[in-house]
Structures are given as structure tokens and as C-alpha cells.
Amino acid sequence: MLELVVWCGVAAVLARAALWLLAAVREVLHQLWVTRDIPGPPSYPLVGSFLAVAGPQEELYEKLVALRADLGPTVKLWLGPVLVVIVSRPTDLELVFTDPRLQTKPWLMYASSMEPCLGAGLITMNGADYRRHRRIISPSFAQDVLHGFAPSFNANAHRLVEQLGELADSGEVFDAAPLSRMCTSYTVCETVLSADSSRLESDRRAVVQAVYRGVTLMFHRGIRPWYRWDTLFKLSKHYDDYQEMVRVGDSFVSKVLDLKMEAQAKETLGQAEEAGEPDAQGSGKQGKRKAFLDHLLSSEEGKTLTKDELSGELKHLVAAANSTTSDTLSFFLYCIAIRQDVQAKILEELDAVFEGDREREVEVADLPKLKYLERAFKETLRYFAPAPIYARQPDSDVKLPSGATLPKGCVVLVSPHFTHKDPDIWPDPDVFEPDRFLPHNSVGRHPHAFIPFSAGTRSCIGQRFVMMFLKTAAATVLRRFHVTTPEDGPRRVRDIKPIFSLTLHVKGGARIRVQRRT
């Protein structure tokens, strides 16, 4: 009798495995048929088109650009049994970013490599979980909350100025990327985390290094399907670094939350004493504008997040805000160091807005007036979009406006660089030209032709935060310093070499020199 039960159990397991295999084969055959007219590189048994993109991570950018040039705006790749369709036409992107059938992020590209490190968060979540978290977090990035960040933006821009002053006096060539990361990390700590960065100094520095290393390791794991299994990943030379990154991130966020809970307890105790105290004008005590985490913790919906949910969201926000913001600032400084004419126009605008005062702090009211500076940042984002890849997975077959069909279960890949370098959309795309964002030059341009922060319902929640900080930092630095490239540096923006990771980095560093303005 026992033997019969065992054999029945084995038969049931084998039957389920057979059904799963049959369904997988049927899905692959369906995908082959539906995408038969989409061009792609040669595909081979077992590995598919993997050889077309295999090789060092430093070469991935060039290989993807070459695919776009050789095969057109829509390309398919078979990475083993996984079908990847790269989409880049703006009309197709509009559907990808807005159609309800295409709002799922593939486990293969996101959760499998990121959640073991960061936990679950907006970047990796899908469905009802994503909508709930987005609804809870969005009010904490409202405009009035962001305006309250201005003092921190200014303070950390001045901290960067002090560091640049020492480098200006020495005259040495340096990499702008580490300084950008440190400046950004102070800002994120004080705004996103609502924490006193001085109390977290050693932890913050460790997190900066962990985030920089982490986005590379997560990308490394994400594009290697065999590392989905922890058993195999443990054999990798990167496993120990990955685990250390997880430990540093968990420790930092846990300490931040402990400090925040401690501060909230003290605030609660002091509320009774402060109630009814008049302010300096005698009009009653004014409420202090809350920063992100304070705002989140004090909201009714924010209180419904568990500690694990809150921890995951904080790690996601710290990683995303640090990486995208600091990388964009590094690329921007490198670009204007090469394009002295652009830098001169920025300074001309800064002198007009600040009336020649190169010491005054940047106020919120100044930011909308810095129109050329904003165009220069937009051109930097067009040329070097900080998030080089977005991915979606259709839950049914979806026909694109261009005519191609995205089959159910495939991975739809969007690279802003494919779209941002399309000569049919952007004349002379390899030329760095901020004025292509002038209103009259933007007439008729599809809204999904410029997607540095993704688009649609899953667009970057912190894009206004990023632009406010970048404009404040640039306006503070460029009124005081002239930025140049060394003699052996690139002479054209197109000579800057980016490296694909979860975010885009400068290959070899953003090597510049600064001089004090007189």
C-alpha cells in the first residue's frame, strides 16, 4: 500500500512537470511564430542570440547601439529560452508605458536580482502591491514637501563647493563622480531619510560605496540567468561583495528607523509643553514642513506600512536617488567641461538671475528662471539617461502601432538611448545641443521621445526631486568655478564612454579640473 502511494506521488509530480514543460514549449513556439517578422541577430540552439550581447559589461552599451543601427528600432533577442523584444519607437513606447496589459515588471529583470538585496519596493513590485505603495508614497514627494528641501540642497551644494575649492587651489585633475556621490548622499540622508547626516557619518559613507558597488552587482546578477539560483551564485567571486552590500544596507536603514522612532518619541513627549506657545510674530507656533520620511510616517496611510515594507521602500529610494542623481551630475559636469560655449551661456544666465551675486543661496523661486540650465540638464539626460533599461512583461499578446506583436510572456526591453539617439527624432543626435529643448524646437516631438525617467503610471516618483537638487547644485558650483577637461581628456561629448549597469556610469571616471572664477 505504501509503495502504491509513493508511486502515485511520483506520477503526480512527473505529470505536473510534464504539463509545465508542455506549456513552456507551447509558449516558446507561439512566441517564435508571432515574432517571425521582427529582425534579430543569429540565434543558436540552447544559447539563442546570447553571443550577440555576451562579453565584458563595459562593451554592452556599444553592442546594443550596434544592434539598433544594424536591425532597426524593434529588435528581438533569444537569451536561451527567454524572448526579449527591444522597442524604441515613441508611438510604440506610449503603448508600452500606458497599456494595462504591459504594466508588469518581469521577475527575471527585477525581483530576482534586486529583492534579495533591497527587499520589495516600488521598483520591483507589481499589481495591487505596487498601486498601494505608490498611493502611500506619492504625497511625500508633493511640491510643498520638495520646497522644504531647499535648505538641505543649498547646504550640501556648499559642502561640494568647499571640496572643489581645495581641488581648485591644488590645480589637480580629479574624478567628479565620487564627489557627486558624496554630495548626493548627504542630501538624500537629510531629505529622503529625514535624518541628521552627522549622526550617521560612518554608516553613510559605507552606504555610498555599497550603493555604487551594488548597482553593478545587481546588474551583473540580473543579466546572467544562471545566477537566479542562490546555490550557483554562491560559487561566484561576487557573492561575498553582494552579501556585504546587503548587510550594509540593512544596517543603515535599521539605524535610520531607530533614530527616527527615538526622535518621534521625544517629539510626542514635548508636544504638550509646546502646545499654544506663540511664535516670534505672536501668531501661534508655525508647523515645520516635514521631510520625506517624517511626512510618510505621520500620514495615516503611511502608518499602514509594516517595518519590512518601509525598510524595503527606503532601500529602494536610497539606491535610486543616490545613483541616478549623482551619475547625472557627473555626466553634466563632464559635458559642460567639454562644451565651454554651453558653460558660458549657463554662467550668463546665472549672472542675470542672481544679478551678479555669486554668493547668494539658491531659492525655490530662482529655479524656474534657470531655463537654459534646465535645457542643459535635459540634454545631458537625453545623451546619458541615468536608467539605461526598463522592462515590462505583457500578460497577453499586444500589437504595437508599428505593426509588430509582443507575445504574452516575453520580456519587453526599453532603452532610452535607442530612442534618444534616433536621428528621425533628434537631428544630429551625437551633438550636445541644449537648445533642442527650446519650445519652438520641441513642437511636434512625441512626448515619449524623451524618457529619462520612464513614463506612464510607473514613471520615476522622484524626478522633480532630482531636477530641483541638480539645478541648485549646478547654480551654486558654476557661479564659483570654471570647469575644464585635462589635456588628455575627451574633446567631444560623443567621446565620453558610458558603462551600462542598473544606472549609467562614466567609464574611467569624469576627469575634470576646476578654477575659481574671479
Side-chain angles (χ1 to χ4, degrees), residues 364-377:
V364 171
D366 297 322
L367 298 179
K369 302 173 186 176
L370 302 175
K371 298 183 183 300
Y372 187 80
L373 177 61
E374 181 168 321
R375 294 201 297 274
F377 269 115

Side-chain angles (χ1 to χ4, degrees), residues 209-222:
Q209 297 303 319
V211 167
Y212 176 66
R213 181 72 175 137
V215 293
T216 302
L217 289 176
M218 285 186 283
F219 187 78
H220 176 87
R221 188 180 188 184

Side-chain angles (χ1 to χ4, degrees), residues 366-398:
D366 297 322
L367 298 179
K369 302 173 186 176
L370 302 175
K371 298 183 183 300
Y372 187 80
L373 177 61
E374 181 168 321
R375 294 201 297 274
F377 269 115
K378 284 185 175 181
E379 180 67 346
T380 304
L381 291 165
R382 180 192 72 84
Y383 219 108
F384 302 108
I389 290 175
Y390 315 123
R392 301 289 187 268
Q393 190 163 36
D395 55 23
S396 63
D397 289 1
V398 179

Side-chain angles (χ1 to χ4, degrees), residues 212-328:
Y212 176 66
R213 181 72 175 137
V215 293
T216 302
L217 289 176
M218 285 186 283
F219 187 78
H220 176 87
R221 188 180 188 184
I223 62 175
R224 290 165 174 80
W226 52 92
Y227 283 156
R228 299 296 184 276
W229 291 275
D230 286 338
T231 303
L232 289 179
F233 189 50
K234 287 178 181 178
L235 302 176
S236 165
K237 64 180 180 180
H238 300 295
Y239 180 74
D240 289 342
D241 287 344
Y242 189 92
Q243 291 302 111
E244 175 63 13
M245 175 185 63
V246 173
R247 186 196 66 77
V248 169
D250 288 345
S251 173
F252 180 71
V253 169
S254 178
K255 185 172 289 188
V256 167
L257 288 175
D258 287 344
L259 289 173
K260 187 55 57 180
M261 299 306 177
E262 176 187 325
Q264 280 193 328
K266 291 180 179 178
E267 182 179 349
T268 301
L269 289 173
Q271 280 178 349
E273 298 176 6
E274 295 180 358
E277 285 185 12
D279 63 10
Q281 286 75 38
S283 57
K285 195 171 184 65
Q286 297 295 311
K288 182 182 178 182
R289 201 182 255 133
K290 288 181 167 60
F292 170 79
L293 183 55
D294 292 318
H295 190 275
L296 185 62
L297 290 174
S298 64
S299 71
E300 289 303 315
E301 285 197 308
K303 292 174 183 177
T304 67
L305 292 175
T306 67
K307 188 172 183 179
D308 284 345
E309 288 177 321
L310 187 58
S311 175
E313 289 298 355
L314 291 179
K315 284 186 282 187
H316 277 248
L317 288 167
V318 168
N322 266 306
S323 300
T324 57
T325 310
S326 61
D327 288 332
T328 301

